[in-house]
Amino acid sequence: MHAGLPLGRITATGLYGPWDSSATDGRAAFTGLLLADVAFAPGSGHAAAALLWHGVVEAVQVPGGLDPAAATAASTAQIHFV
């Protein structure tokens, strides 16, 4: 997984997954960004990683793009996008 990936918290497990504003498992609430690249083998289930939940981020640098208004609408993160 690549640094800067927007994440949401899965309600049932407390784990994090890719943020999806239309998800129904809790990931609809943006919780932060993946701080650094993480080696992750598909099917392995879990990977330890750092979550950036407070700071300033240049929105155009977020992998895959990010609409700051959509991300912060239902967010628990304290990130200011510039």
Side-chain angles (χ1 to χ4, degrees):
M1 296 194 327
H2 296 289
L5 179 71
L7 299 173
R9 188 171 185 185
I10 301 167
T11 307
T13 63
L15 300 174
Y16 294 84
W19 171 69
D20 180 353
S21 61
S22 62
T24 58
D25 61 0
R27 292 179 300 122
F30 172 76
T31 55
L33 300 166
L34 186 63
L35 188 59
D37 287 350
V38 175
F40 181 75
S44 67
H46 298 72
L51 175 70
L52 175 71
W53 61 272
H54 179 82
V56 177
V57 173
E58 192 171 341
V60 296
Q61 298 298 325
V62 175
L66 175 74
D67 176 6
T72 56
S75 178
T76 58
Q78 298 175 9
I79 296 179
H80 176 71
F81 291 98
V82 293

